[in-house]
Amino acid sequence: MAILTGDGFHITSALGGAGAAANGTVLSADDLGSVVSIQTNANLVAGTTVMHVGDGVVVDTDADGDFADEIATTQADNDRYVNSTVTYADGSTSNATLELVTLSDGTQVILLRDDSANLINAASDQIESITLGTFNNANEDRYLQTRYSNDITNSVVCFCEKTLIQTPTGERMIRTLATGDEIVTAHDGERKIVWVGKRTLSSAQLIASPHLRPVLIRASALGPGVPRTDLRVSPQHRILIVSKIAERMFGQREIFVPAIKLVETDGIEQVASLAPVTYVHVLLDEHQIIFANGAPTESLYIGCQALKALSDEARNEIFEIFPELKTTDKTVPLARTSIQKKALVNKLLSRHQCNRKPLVLMEKSVNNR
């Protein structure tokens, strides 16, 4: 039984093991790279396990939530640094105890104690750097697994503020929509918005977390006239794929794929600009397929991970609307199956390219009026 040890920062350039990284070493946002999930691949018991050199580790390098397609590694070295400092873009800091873990493939990750992770989650899109504290050789090459069963949440799933959303009276810019307004869904007619949230990321925040830069889907990149004009969404925002190829591969003609996993398609890219961006969430009473700049995509999905990515204030608002989410494990079901595994997405994209078929074949079942 694999035990999730938590999320960590994937270091872009190895710092060396066995305490080689000196006290005061500064890791910039670029050094920290992306946040990845890490599992042990041994039969370990949560709460009592001490990880040692040689213990198996699996890192979700493609961040698709699937460990089955990853190569298992082992822990080659583990260094604990106490009194480390996390510096945020606004100049504030927090103290952290972290583990610099070296894997047998030469890559390194940083794991943080639960209390440190909680502080980072409060401002996870604003990390400017992490400064290593004092190397603690009393805990070299081992750590108590239960202290690292944390999640680092720093993703957002939403539209850029100038996106045009289909409503019963025509398209409206999403930043003008409010609770109670109606929008058009693909299969369930007109539905009222129950909550709208906004989040602005500054240039400094995007420098600290470049993976949060919008994905640009150019006009007609998904198919003729889809989207009708350039569309910008957050990386994890799901786009609806509608095709016979999807039906042959997955048994469903309509499937969701996160925008970031479509970037290898012509006309789809993650923007290089670090200009400030405002993302807007639109929540309905159910997860729905809606139309953004003429392209079928999703309303806000309030699954467990999506809720974690919201601020406390936003999460509390949603709990007021859906109180059952606060006291149970119930979540709104996805409107369509979401394909997360990168290998499957690549196969889907390759087949569309080889057969010269659009990713979205608009039909009566998906019609934006």
Side-chain angles (χ1 to χ4, degrees), residues 334-348:
L334 280 167
R336 292 294 182 272
T337 298
S338 180
I339 306 303
Q340 299 288 333
K341 193 171 182 178
K342 183 62 174 175
L344 291 177
V345 175
N346 287 344
K347 188 175 182 179
L348 175 70

Side-chain angles (χ1 to χ4, degrees), residues 57-122:
V57 177
V58 183
V59 179
D60 186 17
T61 56
D62 56 10
D64 64 354
D66 183 4
F67 290 88
D69 59 342
E70 303 294 348
I71 298 174
T73 56
T74 59
Q75 179 180 280
D77 183 69
N78 175 61
D79 295 339
R80 178 171 298 179
Y81 289 89
V82 299
N83 297 320
S84 299
T85 303
V86 179
T87 301
Y88 305 100
D90 63 1
S92 63
T93 62
S94 63
N95 188 271
T97 294
L98 58 85
E99 309 287 341
L100 177 63
V101 179
T102 304
L103 304 176
S104 56
D105 62 3
T107 62
Q108 288 185 311
V109 294
I110 282 180
L111 298 178
L112 299 113
R113 279 175 39 166
D114 290 336
D115 51 358
S116 298
N118 289 337
L119 288 170
I120 284 178
N121 285 341

Side-chain angles (χ1 to χ4, degrees), residues 18-331:
N23 181 326
T25 298
V26 178
L27 301 172
S28 68
D30 288 339
D31 296 324
L32 293 173
S34 61
V35 174
V36 293
S37 295
I38 302 162
Q39 280 187 344
T40 62
N41 65 349
N43 189 18
L44 303 173
V45 180
T48 61
T49 298
V50 176
M51 288 289 292
H52 294 88
V53 165
D55 285 337
V57 177
V58 183
V59 179
D60 186 17
T61 56
D62 56 10
D64 64 354
D66 183 4
F67 290 88
D69 59 342
E70 303 294 348
I71 298 174
T73 56
T74 59
Q75 179 180 280
D77 183 69
N78 175 61
D79 295 339
R80 178 171 298 179
Y81 289 89
V82 299
N83 297 320
S84 299
T85 303
V86 179
T87 301
Y88 305 100
D90 63 1
S92 63
T93 62
S94 63
N95 188 271
T97 294
L98 58 85
E99 309 287 341
L100 177 63
V101 179
T102 304
L103 304 176
S104 56
D105 62 3
T107 62
Q108 288 185 311
V109 294
I110 282 180
L111 298 178
L112 299 113
R113 279 175 39 166
D114 290 336
D115 51 358
S116 298
N118 289 337
L119 288 170
I120 284 178
N121 285 341
S124 59
D125 56 355
Q126 303 178 40
I127 295 175
E128 188 172 85
S129 65
I130 293 180
T131 303
L132 298 184
T134 303
F135 171 59
N136 185 334
N137 57 14
N139 291 285
E140 186 176 3
D141 294 341
R142 62 185 176 87
Y143 63 86
L144 186 61
Q145 181 266 335
T146 187
R147 302 180 75 177
Y148 297 89
S149 56
N150 57 54
D151 293 314
I152 298 175
T153 59
N154 66 342
S155 60
V156 287
V157 181
C158 36
F159 301 96
C160 291
E161 64 176 340
K162 293 183 180 180
T163 301
L164 297 173
I165 300 297
Q166 186 70 36
T167 77
T169 57
E171 289 185 322
R172 286 180 56 186
M173 199 171 292
I174 193 170
R175 66 183 180 188
T176 70
L177 295 175
T179 299
D181 288 341
E182 291 187 334
I183 60 178
V184 173
T185 69
H187 302 290
D188 292 318
E190 301 162 359
R191 302 298 282 265
K192 287 186 178 181
I193 296 172
V194 298
W195 180 80
V196 175
K198 296 181 182 180
R199 183 181 185 186
T200 298
L201 300 180
S202 67
S203 294
Q205 290 171 321
L206 292 174
I207 291 172
S209 298
H211 59 286
L212 297 181
R213 290 171 296 161
V215 170
L216 168 62
I217 303 174
R218 296 193 182 279
S220 297
L222 300 172
V226 186
R228 190 170 50 258
T229 57
D230 289 357
L231 173 66
R232 290 172 174 80
V233 297
S234 64
Q236 295 302 324
H237 198 105
R238 297 179 183 92
I239 304 300
L240 190 73
I241 305 301
V242 186
S243 76
K244 293 181 179 179
I245 294 174
E247 186 173 23
R248 287 194 292 269
M249 287 184 63
F250 307 109
Q252 301 175 56
R253 183 168 294 214
E254 300 177 7
I255 60 170
F256 280 127
V257 175
I260 192 64
K261 294 182 180 174
L262 299 175
V263 294
E264 296 178 8
T265 302
D266 289 343
I268 303 178
E269 62 190 78
Q270 190 165 28
V271 302
S273 171
L274 293 172
V277 60
T278 296
Y279 287 125
V280 183
H281 313 272
V282 176
L283 179 65
L284 307 178
D285 60 348
E286 293 180 316
H287 190 234
Q288 294 282 353
I289 299 165
I290 62 176
F291 298 95
N293 291 12
T297 180
E298 67 171 339
S299 61
L300 177 63
Y301 174 65
I302 49 175
C304 293
Q305 292 304 315
L307 286 171
K308 287 180 181 179
L310 299 175
S311 67
D312 289 342
E313 182 180 8
R315 191 160 46 248
N316 288 336
E317 282 188 40
I318 290 174
F319 285 155
E320 287 186 27
I321 300 166
F322 302 102
E324 65 272 19
L325 297 179
K326 190 172 184 178
T327 56
T328 71
D329 293 330
K330 179 182 177 181
T331 57

